[in-house]
Structures are given as structure tokens and as C-alpha cells.
Amino acid sequence: MKLIVSEYHIIHEALKCYEERSDKLSSMTTDEDQEVIYDEKLQDIEGMIKALKIAAKNDFDLEL
């Protein structure tokens, strides 16, 4: 899927917000199983952000 510049910015912003929310929920939970789930989500989000940054750089020489 080919994105345009504004879409890269929107997706990056959304992922950063979701990352912050998941990080906050992970630190607030007292349930170890739930914490593991949030931590796995955080790892997935980090990977998605890295992939998005690489794609933006390759497609438009865009630094996110």
C-alpha cells in the first residue's frame, strides 16, 4: 500500500498516542498477565513505528 505524506504523519501520530496509552496502562495495572499483554503491544507498536519511518524515508525522504 502506497501512502501519501499526510497519511504518514497521521499514522505516526496515531501510533505514538496508542504507544503512550498502552505504556500508561501497562504501568498502572497490577495484573501480571495484563502487563505482559500491554508490553507485547508496545513491542508491536515500536516495530510498526520503525517500519513506518523506514517507508516514509524511502518513499518521500521524510523524517518522522
Side-chain angles (χ1 to χ4, degrees):
M1 174 167 76
K2 194 80 159 167
L3 301 174
I4 61 174
V5 172
S6 62
E7 291 170 333
Y8 277 111
H9 285 290
I10 290 167
I11 293 170
H12 183 256
E13 184 178 328
L15 286 171
K16 293 302 283 181
C17 286
Y18 189 54
E19 180 181 42
E20 289 173 16
R21 179 180 168 268
S22 294
D23 189 40
K24 182 178 178 181
L25 291 172
S26 174
S27 66
M28 291 174 54
T29 188
T30 56
D31 181 354
E32 285 186 28
D33 292 334
Q34 196 67 32
E35 186 176 352
V36 169
I37 291 170
Y38 286 127
D39 289 344
E40 288 173 353
K41 282 184 183 182
L42 284 168
Q43 289 177 357
D44 292 343
I45 294 167
E46 288 173 15
M48 291 173 66
I49 290 172
K50 286 179 186 177
L52 186 70
K53 286 181 176 185
I54 291 169
K57 180 72 172 167
N58 290 339
D59 289 348
F60 296 103
D61 199 28
L62 178 65
E63 298 286 336
L64 296 178

Tab-separated table of all heavy atoms in Angstrom:
chain	number	residue	atom	x	y	z
A	1	MET	N	0.842	-1.164	0.000
A	1	MET	CA	0.000	0.000	0.000
A	1	MET	C	0.898	1.242	0.000
A	1	MET	O	1.808	1.354	0.814
A	1	MET	CB	-0.900	-0.020	1.236
A	1	MET	CG	-1.721	1.220	1.395
A	1	MET	SD	-3.052	1.094	2.595
A	1	MET	CE	-2.174	1.196	4.126
A	2	LYS	N	0.646	2.135	-0.894
A	2	LYS	CA	1.420	3.370	-1.016
A	2	LYS	C	0.680	4.499	-0.302
A	2	LYS	O	-0.497	4.733	-0.539
A	2	LYS	CB	1.587	3.695	-2.496
A	2	LYS	CG	2.614	4.725	-2.778
A	2	LYS	CD	3.985	4.122	-2.759
A	2	LYS	CE	4.917	5.037	-3.546
A	2	LYS	NZ	6.274	4.707	-3.333
A	3	LEU	N	1.363	5.161	0.609
A	3	LEU	CA	0.765	6.252	1.376
A	3	LEU	C	1.255	7.590	0.846
A	3	LEU	O	2.304	7.665	0.212
A	3	LEU	CB	1.137	6.132	2.850
A	3	LEU	CG	0.730	4.855	3.569
A	3	LEU	CD1	1.302	4.844	4.977
A	3	LEU	CD2	-0.768	4.712	3.615
A	4	ILE	N	0.494	8.642	1.135
A	4	ILE	CA	0.946	9.990	0.836
A	4	ILE	C	1.511	10.598	2.111
A	4	ILE	O	1.328	10.058	3.212
A	4	ILE	CB	-0.192	10.855	0.234
A	4	ILE	CG1	-1.365	10.985	1.214
A	4	ILE	CG2	-0.658	10.277	-1.099
A	4	ILE	CD1	-2.452	11.933	0.755
A	5	VAL	N	2.196	11.724	1.969
A	5	VAL	CA	2.908	12.330	3.101
A	5	VAL	C	1.987	12.565	4.299
A	5	VAL	O	2.323	12.209	5.435
A	5	VAL	CB	3.599	13.639	2.671
A	5	VAL	CG1	4.181	14.367	3.880
A	5	VAL	CG2	4.690	13.359	1.659
A	6	SER	N	0.825	13.142	4.066
A	6	SER	CA	-0.071	13.441	5.195
A	6	SER	C	-0.525	12.167	5.901
A	6	SER	O	-0.700	12.164	7.122
A	6	SER	CB	-1.282	14.253	4.727
A	6	SER	OG	-2.054	13.522	3.800
A	7	GLU	N	-0.677	11.094	5.163
A	7	GLU	CA	-1.079	9.830	5.784
A	7	GLU	C	0.028	9.273	6.673
A	7	GLU	O	-0.245	8.706	7.731
A	7	GLU	CB	-1.467	8.813	4.703
A	7	GLU	CG	-2.738	9.188	3.986
A	7	GLU	CD	-3.022	8.339	2.771
A	7	GLU	OE1	-2.085	7.794	2.143
A	7	GLU	OE2	-4.216	8.215	2.427
A	8	TYR	N	1.277	9.441	6.252
A	8	TYR	CA	2.396	9.029	7.111
A	8	TYR	C	2.345	9.785	8.439
A	8	TYR	O	2.518	9.197	9.503
A	8	TYR	CB	3.746	9.285	6.433
A	8	TYR	CG	4.160	8.194	5.480
A	8	TYR	CD1	4.194	8.404	4.113
A	8	TYR	CD2	4.525	6.938	5.959
A	8	TYR	CE1	4.586	7.409	3.240
A	8	TYR	CE2	4.918	5.921	5.095
A	8	TYR	CZ	4.943	6.175	3.741
A	8	TYR	OH	5.320	5.171	2.884
A	9	HIS	N	2.099	11.085	8.373
A	9	HIS	CA	2.045	11.886	9.594
A	9	HIS	C	0.874	11.459	10.492
A	9	HIS	O	1.031	11.351	11.709
A	9	HIS	CB	1.936	13.380	9.262
A	9	HIS	CG	3.210	13.972	8.777
A	9	HIS	ND1	4.307	14.166	9.567
A	9	HIS	CD2	3.571	14.406	7.540
A	9	HIS	CE1	5.286	14.697	8.871
A	9	HIS	NE2	4.867	14.854	7.627
A	10	ILE	N	-0.280	11.216	9.904
A	10	ILE	CA	-1.459	10.816	10.681
A	10	ILE	C	-1.227	9.472	11.359
A	10	ILE	O	-1.504	9.306	12.553
A	10	ILE	CB	-2.708	10.760	9.775
A	10	ILE	CG1	-3.106	12.174	9.352
A	10	ILE	CG2	-3.863	10.063	10.482
A	10	ILE	CD1	-4.122	12.220	8.225
A	11	ILE	N	-0.720	8.522	10.607
A	11	ILE	CA	-0.476	7.181	11.173
A	11	ILE	C	0.588	7.247	12.255
A	11	ILE	O	0.459	6.618	13.311
A	11	ILE	CB	-0.100	6.183	10.067
A	11	ILE	CG1	-1.307	5.966	9.140
A	11	ILE	CG2	0.366	4.859	10.661
A	11	ILE	CD1	-0.985	5.193	7.874
A	12	HIS	N	1.641	8.019	12.026
A	12	HIS	CA	2.705	8.148	13.024
A	12	HIS	C	2.152	8.752	14.313
A	12	HIS	O	2.434	8.259	15.413
A	12	HIS	CB	3.845	9.011	12.463
A	12	HIS	CG	4.997	9.139	13.387
A	12	HIS	ND1	5.235	10.267	14.112
A	12	HIS	CD2	5.977	8.253	13.730
A	12	HIS	CE1	6.319	10.093	14.847
A	12	HIS	NE2	6.781	8.881	14.638
A	13	GLU	N	1.357	9.803	14.183
A	13	GLU	CA	0.762	10.445	15.355
A	13	GLU	C	-0.159	9.474	16.101
A	13	GLU	O	-0.136	9.399	17.333
A	13	GLU	CB	-0.018	11.686	14.931
A	13	GLU	CG	-0.586	12.466	16.083
A	13	GLU	CD	-1.322	13.714	15.620
A	13	GLU	OE1	-0.941	14.301	14.596
A	13	GLU	OE2	-2.285	14.096	16.315
A	14	ALA	N	-0.960	8.727	15.369
A	14	ALA	CA	-1.874	7.763	15.984
A	14	ALA	C	-1.102	6.668	16.723
A	14	ALA	O	-1.463	6.284	17.843
A	14	ALA	CB	-2.789	7.153	14.933
A	15	LEU	N	-0.048	6.167	16.109
A	15	LEU	CA	0.755	5.133	16.757
A	15	LEU	C	1.436	5.655	18.017
A	15	LEU	O	1.514	4.947	19.025
A	15	LEU	CB	1.803	4.574	15.782
A	15	LEU	CG	1.277	3.647	14.706
A	15	LEU	CD1	2.367	3.350	13.678
A	15	LEU	CD2	0.755	2.348	15.303
A	16	LYS	N	1.923	6.888	17.981
A	16	LYS	CA	2.560	7.466	19.165
A	16	LYS	C	1.546	7.622	20.301
A	16	LYS	O	1.856	7.325	21.458
A	16	LYS	CB	3.203	8.816	18.831
A	16	LYS	CG	4.396	8.721	17.881
A	16	LYS	CD	5.502	7.858	18.376
A	16	LYS	CE	6.336	8.537	19.421
A	16	LYS	NZ	7.448	7.709	19.913
A	17	CYS	N	0.327	8.046	19.978
A	17	CYS	CA	-0.722	8.181	21.005
A	17	CYS	C	-1.070	6.812	21.592
A	17	CYS	O	-1.218	6.667	22.807
A	17	CYS	CB	-1.972	8.821	20.408
A	17	CYS	SG	-1.801	10.575	20.096
A	18	TYR	N	-1.200	5.814	20.723
A	18	TYR	CA	-1.521	4.462	21.172
A	18	TYR	C	-0.372	3.905	22.019
A	18	TYR	O	-0.603	3.227	23.026
A	18	TYR	CB	-1.805	3.570	19.970
A	18	TYR	CG	-2.346	2.212	20.322
A	18	TYR	CD1	-3.468	2.068	21.130
A	18	TYR	CD2	-1.739	1.060	19.843
A	18	TYR	CE1	-3.962	0.819	21.453
A	18	TYR	CE2	-2.232	-0.195	20.158
A	18	TYR	CZ	-3.344	-0.307	20.963
A	18	TYR	OH	-3.829	-1.548	21.281
A	19	GLU	N	0.850	4.223	21.647
A	19	GLU	CA	2.012	3.777	22.412
A	19	GLU	C	1.985	4.393	23.813
A	19	GLU	O	2.204	3.692	24.808
A	19	GLU	CB	3.287	4.176	21.673
A	19	GLU	CG	4.560	3.758	22.376
A	19	GLU	CD	5.783	4.199	21.611
A	19	GLU	OE1	5.812	5.345	21.103
A	19	GLU	OE2	6.724	3.405	21.540
A	20	GLU	N	1.721	5.689	23.896
A	20	GLU	CA	1.659	6.365	25.197
A	20	GLU	C	0.549	5.775	26.069
A	20	GLU	O	0.740	5.556	27.266
A	20	GLU	CB	1.428	7.860	25.001
A	20	GLU	CG	2.615	8.593	24.438
A	20	GLU	CD	2.308	10.032	24.092
A	20	GLU	OE1	1.281	10.569	24.548
A	20	GLU	OE2	3.110	10.628	23.351
A	21	ARG	N	-0.615	5.541	25.462
A	21	ARG	CA	-1.755	4.971	26.197
A	21	ARG	C	-1.421	3.571	26.712
A	21	ARG	O	-1.673	3.249	27.870
A	21	ARG	CB	-2.980	4.925	25.283
A	21	ARG	CG	-4.194	4.338	25.939
A	21	ARG	CD	-5.383	4.340	24.956
A	21	ARG	NE	-6.467	3.550	25.456
A	21	ARG	CZ	-6.642	2.255	25.189
A	21	ARG	NH1	-5.809	1.623	24.398
A	21	ARG	NH2	-7.646	1.589	25.694
A	22	SER	N	-0.843	2.741	25.857
A	22	SER	CA	-0.502	1.374	26.256
A	22	SER	C	0.564	1.374	27.338
A	22	SER	O	0.516	0.563	28.266
A	22	SER	CB	-0.030	0.573	25.039
A	22	SER	OG	-1.082	0.410	24.133
A	23	ASP	N	1.525	2.280	27.226
A	23	ASP	CA	2.573	2.387	28.237
A	23	ASP	C	1.978	2.788	29.587
A	23	ASP	O	2.329	2.218	30.627
A	23	ASP	CB	3.625	3.404	27.797
A	23	ASP	CG	4.831	3.406	28.701
A	23	ASP	OD1	5.282	2.320	29.128
A	23	ASP	OD2	5.348	4.506	28.982
A	24	LYS	N	1.062	3.741	29.567
A	24	LYS	CA	0.408	4.183	30.798
A	24	LYS	C	-0.399	3.043	31.417
A	24	LYS	O	-0.322	2.794	32.622
A	24	LYS	CB	-0.504	5.370	30.501
A	24	LYS	CG	-1.186	5.940	31.714
A	24	LYS	CD	-2.038	7.145	31.348
A	24	LYS	CE	-2.753	7.688	32.564
A	24	LYS	NZ	-3.600	8.835	32.233
A	25	LEU	N	-1.169	2.335	30.597
A	25	LEU	CA	-1.974	1.225	31.108
A	25	LEU	C	-1.098	0.106	31.648
A	25	LEU	O	-1.417	-0.513	32.661
A	25	LEU	CB	-2.905	0.698	30.011
A	25	LEU	CG	-4.035	1.637	29.604
A	25	LEU	CD1	-4.756	1.088	28.375
A	25	LEU	CD2	-5.006	1.862	30.749
A	26	SER	N	0.018	-0.137	30.982
A	26	SER	CA	0.946	-1.178	31.439
A	26	SER	C	1.501	-0.843	32.817
A	26	SER	O	1.609	-1.715	33.678
A	26	SER	CB	2.090	-1.335	30.438
A	26	SER	OG	3.055	-2.231	30.926
A	27	SER	N	1.838	0.408	33.025
A	27	SER	CA	2.419	0.802	34.313
A	27	SER	C	1.371	0.870	35.425
A	27	SER	O	1.716	0.782	36.600
A	27	SER	CB	3.142	2.143	34.180
A	27	SER	OG	2.226	3.170	33.899
A	28	MET	N	0.103	1.019	35.065
A	28	MET	CA	-0.955	1.142	36.067
A	28	MET	C	-1.541	-0.200	36.516
A	28	MET	O	-2.100	-0.294	37.602
A	28	MET	CB	-2.096	2.013	35.520
A	28	MET	CG	-1.721	3.474	35.363
A	28	MET	SD	-2.994	4.451	34.566
A	28	MET	CE	-4.424	4.104	35.562
A	29	THR	N	-1.407	-1.216	35.692
A	29	THR	CA	-2.053	-2.484	36.016
A	29	THR	C	-1.308	-3.233	37.112
A	29	THR	O	-0.095	-3.121	37.249
A	29	THR	CB	-2.201	-3.378	34.765
A	29	THR	OG1	-3.005	-4.507	35.098
A	29	THR	CG2	-0.856	-3.854	34.246
A	30	THR	N	-2.063	-3.980	37.897
A	30	THR	CA	-1.461	-4.824	38.930
A	30	THR	C	-1.520	-6.295	38.522
A	30	THR	O	-0.942	-7.144	39.196
A	30	THR	CB	-2.196	-4.641	40.276
A	30	THR	OG1	-3.584	-4.927	40.101
A	30	THR	CG2	-2.013	-3.220	40.793
A	31	ASP	N	-2.179	-6.569	37.415
A	31	ASP	CA	-2.307	-7.935	36.898
A	31	ASP	C	-1.123	-8.227	35.975
A	31	ASP	O	-0.951	-7.577	34.942
A	31	ASP	CB	-3.632	-8.054	36.132
A	31	ASP	CG	-3.874	-9.449	35.578
A	31	ASP	OD1	-2.982	-10.313	35.683
A	31	ASP	OD2	-4.969	-9.667	35.020
A	32	GLU	N	-0.299	-9.194	36.347
A	32	GLU	CA	0.894	-9.517	35.576
A	32	GLU	C	0.560	-9.956	34.151
A	32	GLU	O	1.275	-9.605	33.209
A	32	GLU	CB	1.712	-10.598	36.277
A	32	GLU	CG	2.477	-10.092	37.473
A	32	GLU	CD	3.388	-11.146	38.066
A	32	GLU	OE1	3.838	-12.046	37.323
A	32	GLU	OE2	3.648	-11.065	39.270
A	33	ASP	N	-0.498	-10.723	33.984
A	33	ASP	CA	-0.890	-11.178	32.649
A	33	ASP	C	-1.268	-9.992	31.766
A	33	ASP	O	-0.892	-9.934	30.592
A	33	ASP	CB	-2.059	-12.162	32.722
A	33	ASP	CG	-1.668	-13.483	33.362
A	33	ASP	OD1	-0.469	-13.849	33.297
A	33	ASP	OD2	-2.555	-14.144	33.934
A	34	GLN	N	-1.992	-9.048	32.325
A	34	GLN	CA	-2.392	-7.864	31.578
A	34	GLN	C	-1.169	-7.011	31.235
A	34	GLN	O	-1.081	-6.460	30.143
A	34	GLN	CB	-3.403	-7.047	32.394
A	34	GLN	CG	-4.144	-6.035	31.591
A	34	GLN	CD	-5.065	-6.663	30.570
A	34	GLN	OE1	-5.609	-7.732	30.760
A	34	GLN	NE2	-5.230	-5.990	29.453
A	35	GLU	N	-0.220	-6.941	32.158
A	35	GLU	CA	1.003	-6.178	31.909
A	35	GLU	C	1.786	-6.787	30.742
A	35	GLU	O	2.310	-6.067	29.893
A	35	GLU	CB	1.874	-6.144	33.161
A	35	GLU	CG	3.084	-5.255	33.014
A	35	GLU	CD	3.900	-5.144	34.299
A	35	GLU	OE1	3.457	-5.639	35.355
A	35	GLU	OE2	4.970	-4.552	34.229
A	36	VAL	N	1.844	-8.107	30.694
A	36	VAL	CA	2.530	-8.794	29.600
A	36	VAL	C	1.848	-8.471	28.264
A	36	VAL	O	2.512	-8.202	27.258
A	36	VAL	CB	2.573	-10.326	29.835
A	36	VAL	CG1	3.027	-11.064	28.593
A	36	VAL	CG2	3.481	-10.650	31.015
A	37	ILE	N	0.524	-8.457	28.261
A	37	ILE	CA	-0.226	-8.138	27.042
A	37	ILE	C	0.102	-6.721	26.577
A	37	ILE	O	0.370	-6.491	25.394
A	37	ILE	CB	-1.745	-8.321	27.272
A	37	ILE	CG1	-2.067	-9.806	27.435
A	37	ILE	CG2	-2.546	-7.699	26.134
A	37	ILE	CD1	-3.479	-10.086	27.908
A	38	TYR	N	0.096	-5.765	27.497
A	38	TYR	CA	0.422	-4.380	27.140
A	38	TYR	C	1.864	-4.260	26.657
A	38	TYR	O	2.151	-3.543	25.702
A	38	TYR	CB	0.192	-3.434	28.320
A	38	TYR	CG	-1.254	-3.163	28.611
A	38	TYR	CD1	-1.775	-3.349	29.887
A	38	TYR	CD2	-2.120	-2.713	27.621
A	38	TYR	CE1	-3.111	-3.089	30.167
A	38	TYR	CE2	-3.457	-2.453	27.889
A	38	TYR	CZ	-3.938	-2.645	29.164
A	38	TYR	OH	-5.252	-2.391	29.437
A	39	ASP	N	2.779	-4.966	27.310
A	39	ASP	CA	4.183	-4.913	26.901
A	39	ASP	C	4.373	-5.502	25.502
A	39	ASP	O	5.168	-4.983	24.710
A	39	ASP	CB	5.069	-5.631	27.919
A	39	ASP	CG	5.179	-4.869	29.230
A	39	ASP	OD1	4.834	-3.663	29.260
A	39	ASP	OD2	5.601	-5.478	30.238
A	40	GLU	N	3.646	-6.559	25.184
A	40	GLU	CA	3.711	-7.128	23.840
A	40	GLU	C	3.155	-6.140	22.814
A	40	GLU	O	3.711	-5.988	21.724
A	40	GLU	CB	2.955	-8.450	23.774
A	40	GLU	CG	3.660	-9.569	24.495
A	40	GLU	CD	2.844	-10.856	24.585
A	40	GLU	OE1	1.654	-10.861	24.194
A	40	GLU	OE2	3.402	-11.866	25.052
A	41	LYS	N	2.073	-5.460	23.166
A	41	LYS	CA	1.519	-4.432	22.277
A	41	LYS	C	2.540	-3.322	22.052
A	41	LYS	O	2.704	-2.837	20.931
A	41	LYS	CB	0.241	-3.831	22.868
A	41	LYS	CG	-0.971	-4.689	22.710
A	41	LYS	CD	-2.202	-3.955	23.240
A	41	LYS	CE	-3.419	-4.844	23.149
A	41	LYS	NZ	-4.636	-4.154	23.599
A	42	LEU	N	3.219	-2.921	23.121
A	42	LEU	CA	4.222	-1.871	22.995
A	42	LEU	C	5.343	-2.279	22.040
A	42	LEU	O	5.803	-1.472	21.225
A	42	LEU	CB	4.800	-1.511	24.366
A	42	LEU	CG	3.904	-0.663	25.247
A	42	LEU	CD1	4.435	-0.620	26.676
A	42	LEU	CD2	3.775	0.747	24.687
A	43	GLN	N	5.769	-3.523	22.119
A	43	GLN	CA	6.799	-4.012	21.209
A	43	GLN	C	6.296	-3.988	19.771
A	43	GLN	O	7.035	-3.597	18.852
A	43	GLN	CB	7.234	-5.421	21.602
A	43	GLN	CG	8.040	-5.470	22.867
A	43	GLN	CD	8.387	-6.894	23.275
A	43	GLN	OE1	7.977	-7.865	22.644
A	43	GLN	NE2	9.152	-7.027	24.341
A	44	ASP	N	5.058	-4.407	19.567
A	44	ASP	CA	4.471	-4.377	18.222
A	44	ASP	C	4.383	-2.951	17.692
A	44	ASP	O	4.700	-2.689	16.525
A	44	ASP	CB	3.074	-5.013	18.221
A	44	ASP	CG	3.094	-6.509	18.473
A	44	ASP	OD1	4.167	-7.138	18.335
A	44	ASP	OD2	2.032	-7.056	18.822
A	45	ILE	N	3.966	-2.035	18.542
A	45	ILE	CA	3.843	-0.634	18.138
A	45	ILE	C	5.214	-0.071	17.765
A	45	ILE	O	5.363	0.627	16.760
A	45	ILE	CB	3.197	0.211	19.254
A	45	ILE	CG1	1.742	-0.214	19.472
A	45	ILE	CG2	3.279	1.698	18.931
A	45	ILE	CD1	1.117	0.344	20.749
A	46	GLU	N	6.225	-0.377	18.565
A	46	GLU	CA	7.575	0.091	18.270
A	46	GLU	C	8.037	-0.412	16.908
A	46	GLU	O	8.635	0.341	16.134
A	46	GLU	CB	8.548	-0.354	19.359
A	46	GLU	CG	8.392	0.378	20.670
A	46	GLU	CD	9.254	-0.189	21.779
A	46	GLU	OE1	10.191	-0.977	21.490
A	46	GLU	OE2	9.006	0.151	22.939
A	47	GLY	N	7.746	-1.660	16.617
A	47	GLY	CA	8.104	-2.223	15.317
A	47	GLY	C	7.367	-1.543	14.179
A	47	GLY	O	7.947	-1.263	13.116
A	48	MET	N	6.097	-1.246	14.396
A	48	MET	CA	5.308	-0.570	13.379
A	48	MET	C	5.825	0.848	13.139
A	48	MET	O	5.883	1.305	11.991
A	48	MET	CB	3.842	-0.542	13.789
A	48	MET	CG	3.185	-1.911	13.776
A	48	MET	SD	1.507	-1.908	14.457
A	48	MET	CE	0.660	-0.918	13.246
A	49	ILE	N	6.192	1.534	14.210
A	49	ILE	CA	6.729	2.895	14.070
A	49	ILE	C	8.042	2.867	13.296
A	49	ILE	O	8.273	3.693	12.402
A	49	ILE	CB	6.892	3.570	15.449
A	49	ILE	CG1	5.513	3.889	16.038
A	49	ILE	CG2	7.744	4.835	15.346
A	49	ILE	CD1	5.533	4.376	17.480
A	50	LYS	N	8.900	1.906	13.606
A	50	LYS	CA	10.168	1.788	12.882
A	50	LYS	C	9.925	1.515	11.403
A	50	LYS	O	10.562	2.124	10.538
A	50	LYS	CB	11.035	0.679	13.488
A	50	LYS	CG	11.656	1.050	14.800
A	50	LYS	CD	12.485	-0.092	15.356
A	50	LYS	CE	12.996	0.247	16.746
A	50	LYS	NZ	13.732	-0.866	17.338
A	51	ALA	N	9.013	0.599	11.105
A	51	ALA	CA	8.698	0.273	9.709
A	51	ALA	C	8.109	1.479	8.985
A	51	ALA	O	8.435	1.741	7.819
A	51	ALA	CB	7.734	-0.906	9.652
A	52	LEU	N	7.248	2.223	9.671
A	52	LEU	CA	6.641	3.410	9.089
A	52	LEU	C	7.703	4.463	8.781
A	52	LEU	O	7.686	5.092	7.717
A	52	LEU	CB	5.582	3.982	10.040
A	52	LEU	CG	4.771	5.145	9.509
A	52	LEU	CD1	3.824	4.674	8.416
A	52	LEU	CD2	3.989	5.800	10.630
A	53	LYS	N	8.642	4.649	9.705
A	53	LYS	CA	9.711	5.618	9.489
A	53	LYS	C	10.575	5.229	8.290
A	53	LYS	O	10.957	6.087	7.487
A	53	LYS	CB	10.581	5.742	10.738
A	53	LYS	CG	9.920	6.510	11.857
A	53	LYS	CD	10.836	6.633	13.058
A	53	LYS	CE	10.198	7.485	14.133
A	53	LYS	NZ	11.094	7.718	15.263
A	54	ILE	N	10.867	3.962	8.158
A	54	ILE	CA	11.670	3.486	7.028
A	54	ILE	C	10.924	3.706	5.716
A	54	ILE	O	11.499	4.193	4.741
A	54	ILE	CB	12.044	1.998	7.214
A	54	ILE	CG1	13.042	1.851	8.359
A	54	ILE	CG2	12.611	1.410	5.918
A	54	ILE	CD1	13.277	0.423	8.809
A	55	ALA	N	9.647	3.366	5.697
A	55	ALA	CA	8.841	3.547	4.482
A	55	ALA	C	8.737	5.019	4.114
A	55	ALA	O	8.854	5.379	2.934
A	55	ALA	CB	7.454	2.944	4.683
A	56	ALA	N	8.524	5.889	5.098
A	56	ALA	CA	8.417	7.325	4.835
A	56	ALA	C	9.739	7.866	4.284
A	56	ALA	O	9.747	8.688	3.362
A	56	ALA	CB	8.031	8.071	6.102
A	57	LYS	N	10.823	7.384	4.826
A	57	LYS	CA	12.149	7.812	4.354
A	57	LYS	C	12.377	7.339	2.921
A	57	LYS	O	12.842	8.104	2.071
A	57	LYS	CB	13.225	7.247	5.293
A	57	LYS	CG	14.631	7.613	4.923
A	57	LYS	CD	14.894	9.060	5.198
A	57	LYS	CE	16.376	9.359	5.007
A	57	LYS	NZ	16.645	10.775	4.967
A	58	ASN	N	12.044	6.090	2.641
A	58	ASN	CA	12.251	5.535	1.307
A	58	ASN	C	11.335	6.163	0.267
A	58	ASN	O	11.755	6.426	-0.861
A	58	ASN	CB	12.056	4.025	1.315
A	58	ASN	CG	13.142	3.298	2.052
A	58	ASN	OD1	14.237	3.808	2.257
A	58	ASN	ND2	12.853	2.078	2.490
A	59	ASP	N	10.085	6.401	0.625
A	59	ASP	CA	9.099	6.907	-0.330
A	59	ASP	C	9.243	8.397	-0.606
A	59	ASP	O	9.094	8.842	-1.748
A	59	ASP	CB	7.676	6.624	0.142
A	59	ASP	CG	7.294	5.154	0.079
A	59	ASP	OD1	8.046	4.376	-0.539
A	59	ASP	OD2	6.264	4.796	0.662
A	60	PHE	N	9.507	9.189	0.452
A	60	PHE	CA	9.488	10.646	0.307
A	60	PHE	C	10.685	11.344	0.924
A	60	PHE	O	10.693	12.568	1.036
A	60	PHE	CB	8.205	11.224	0.933
A	60	PHE	CG	6.950	10.793	0.249
A	60	PHE	CD1	6.136	9.815	0.812
A	60	PHE	CD2	6.574	11.349	-0.955
A	60	PHE	CE1	4.973	9.412	0.183
A	60	PHE	CE2	5.412	10.949	-1.602
A	60	PHE	CZ	4.614	9.976	-1.026
A	61	ASP	N	11.683	10.579	1.375
A	61	ASP	CA	12.818	11.142	2.108
A	61	ASP	C	12.297	11.967	3.286
A	61	ASP	O	12.786	13.059	3.575
A	61	ASP	CB	13.704	11.983	1.183
A	61	ASP	CG	15.086	12.180	1.758
A	61	ASP	OD1	15.547	11.302	2.519
A	61	ASP	OD2	15.713	13.212	1.458
A	62	LEU	N	11.278	11.413	3.961
A	62	LEU	CA	10.571	12.077	5.051
A	62	LEU	C	11.057	11.549	6.390
A	62	LEU	O	11.083	10.339	6.600
A	62	LEU	CB	9.069	11.831	4.898
A	62	LEU	CG	8.118	12.380	5.941
A	62	LEU	CD1	8.141	13.903	5.921
A	62	LEU	CD2	6.709	11.873	5.677
A	63	GLU	N	11.447	12.437	7.273
A	63	GLU	CA	11.873	12.068	8.629
A	63	GLU	C	10.683	12.231	9.578
A	63	GLU	O	10.149	13.318	9.732
A	63	GLU	CB	13.017	12.961	9.102
A	63	GLU	CG	14.276	12.861	8.284
A	63	GLU	CD	15.055	11.591	8.514
A	63	GLU	OE1	14.923	10.982	9.587
A	63	GLU	OE2	15.802	11.203	7.609
A	64	LEU	N	10.245	11.146	10.179
A	64	LEU	CA	9.135	11.205	11.149
A	64	LEU	C	9.688	11.239	12.561
A	64	LEU	O	10.745	10.819	12.856
A	64	LEU	CB	8.204	10.012	10.988
A	64	LEU	CG	7.471	9.906	9.680
A	64	LEU	CD1	6.635	8.638	9.651
A	64	LEU	CD2	6.551	11.100	9.486
